[in-house]
Amino acid sequence: MAQLDWYIRANLKPRHLQLLVALDDLRNLGKVAASLNISQPAVSLSLGELEKGLGIRLFDRTARGVNPNIYGECLIRQARVVLGSLAQARDELRALLSGASGKTTLGALPAMAPAVVPKALALLKQRTPGTTVLVHEGAMETLLPELRRGAIDLIVGRLLSHRQSSDDLSERPLFEGSSTVVVGAAHPLARRKRLRWSDLSAFPWVLPPVGSLPREPLESALQQHGVAIPSNTIETLSTHVILTYLQSSDALGILSKVVADHYRDLGLLAVLPWNCRMSCGRSA
């Protein structure tokens, strides 16, 4: 243990971390050598010195290349975090030297990107014009690992309590996580003053996929009010697909209230007078 502690504190260098990440990404000594612009014997020598210094074998050698063992996976994971922090420090220093005041990397779910993120960015720029923001759009399954390893700083999206929340994440609610029924602006129901749940039966639907956050509360609300889900449906969580499909058909769909209100204010969709108590997780 003493050798391990001493080596990590006194001899572990960024070039070692770069080597570990490259080995994990490429799994081949020749490819790693080419990517780092050094010779293959130099890669083998550096890896051997690293393992000897730590007193731990990090990779299993095979005829096809190298594969990290549990010790290698642990060190590679931390190497990515450290290299990410160093890259962030470099970017912040460059920003300061150029007159900017900092840099933030933001992850956003596609549903949140058009309705929530632009307003937040506009407010941020009013307060700190020199702050640079890099926005990554993606699914929560992709963004959460990036957040945990330090590649992004925060996420605007929805967490499902029992599956995705954990003690290592700090959350702040932005709005109530409920959904509402929406239609195209020219839809026959959009002009009706009074509506009954039975009025929904005559139209096709754009449904959330089975197993997704909004699906179960939607089905429960329809069942409660005696409305059967028709066979004429498509399933998607893509806000862009929902928006364009509703504009070109008489279908019904659901969106989170904040997104639905955004497109209603733009004149692109109409919001029907039900939210069906369709709570779909926490928006944070």
Side-chain angles (χ1 to χ4, degrees):
M1 289 295 182
Q3 177 184 351
L4 178 64
D5 294 343
W6 170 80
Y7 191 86
I8 288 179
R9 285 195 286 179
N11 284 279
L12 194 61
K13 304 293 192 299
R15 60 182 177 85
H16 294 133
L17 306 182
Q18 293 168 350
L19 174 64
L20 288 169
V21 171
L23 285 168
D24 185 45
D25 289 340
L26 301 174
R27 306 293 177 95
N28 181 278
L29 297 181
K31 293 180 180 178
V32 170
S35 71
L36 298 178
N37 198 27
I38 57 178
S39 66
Q40 184 169 330
V43 172
S44 299
L45 180 62
S46 296
L47 177 57
E49 290 176 346
L50 178 59
E51 291 180 323
K52 182 179 179 181
L54 292 169
I56 302 173
R57 191 172 186 84
L58 302 173
F59 289 84
D60 297 325
R61 278 72 166 173
T62 69
R64 295 186 176 182
V66 294
N67 295 306
N69 56 29
I70 58 173
Y71 307 111
E73 289 175 350
C74 174
L75 196 56
I76 289 165
R77 185 168 59 250
Q78 299 304 323
R80 292 186 185 275
V81 172
V82 173
L83 291 175
S85 296
L86 290 174
Q88 185 175 7
R90 176 204 62 203
D91 293 342
E92 288 182 6
L93 288 171
R94 286 178 176 174
L96 291 170
L97 289 170
S98 65
S101 60
K103 181 176 181 179
T104 298
T105 303
L106 170 70
L109 268 65
M112 301 294 105
V116 178
V117 173
K119 294 179 181 178
L121 293 178
L123 182 60
L124 174 66
K125 283 295 186 178
Q126 288 178 6
R127 295 178 177 177
T128 57
T131 301
T132 300
V133 182
L134 178 61
V135 180
H136 288 291
E137 186 176 317
M140 188 63 77
E141 291 76 9
T142 301
L143 297 176
L144 271 179
E146 295 290 295
L147 178 66
R148 286 191 164 103
R149 72 181 184 89
I152 59 179
D153 300 308
L154 69 157
I155 297 174
V156 178
R158 284 178 172 177
L159 287 175
L160 183 58
S161 300
H162 66 280
R163 280 197 339 199
Q164 293 174 326
S165 181
S166 75
D167 293 338
D168 66 332
L169 299 177
S170 175
E171 306 168 36
R172 178 173 297 181
L174 299 179
F175 52 86
E176 188 66 28
S178 62
S179 297
T180 189
V181 183
V182 292
V183 295
H187 194 282
L189 296 183
R191 297 185 292 272
R192 295 271 296 272
K193 299 297 183 182
R194 294 187 177 184
L195 292 172
R196 298 170 298 177
W197 279 91
S198 58
D199 294 329
L200 306 182
S201 301
F203 299 96
W205 276 84
V206 185
L207 296 175
V210 174
S212 62
L213 291 176
R215 179 64 180 244
E216 183 177 349
L218 171 63
E219 290 185 348
S220 297
L222 294 177
Q223 183 178 10
Q224 178 184 351
H225 293 88
V227 180
I229 296 178
S231 58
N232 184 3
T233 65
I234 64 172
E235 296 185 359
T236 182
L237 288 176
S238 168
T239 303
H240 177 69
V241 172
I242 295 172
L243 173 64
T244 54
Y245 186 70
L246 293 184
Q247 288 179 309
S248 59
S249 72
D250 283 341
L252 310 172
I254 66 168
L255 290 172
S256 65
K257 187 177 185 303
V258 65
V259 176
D261 290 346
H262 170 74
Y263 287 118
R264 178 201 60 196
D265 293 344
L266 293 176
L268 300 177
L269 293 179
V271 178
L272 300 187
W274 300 295
N275 66 13
C276 316
R277 298 184 182 270
M278 291 186 288
S279 179
C280 303
R282 292 164 294 141
S283 300

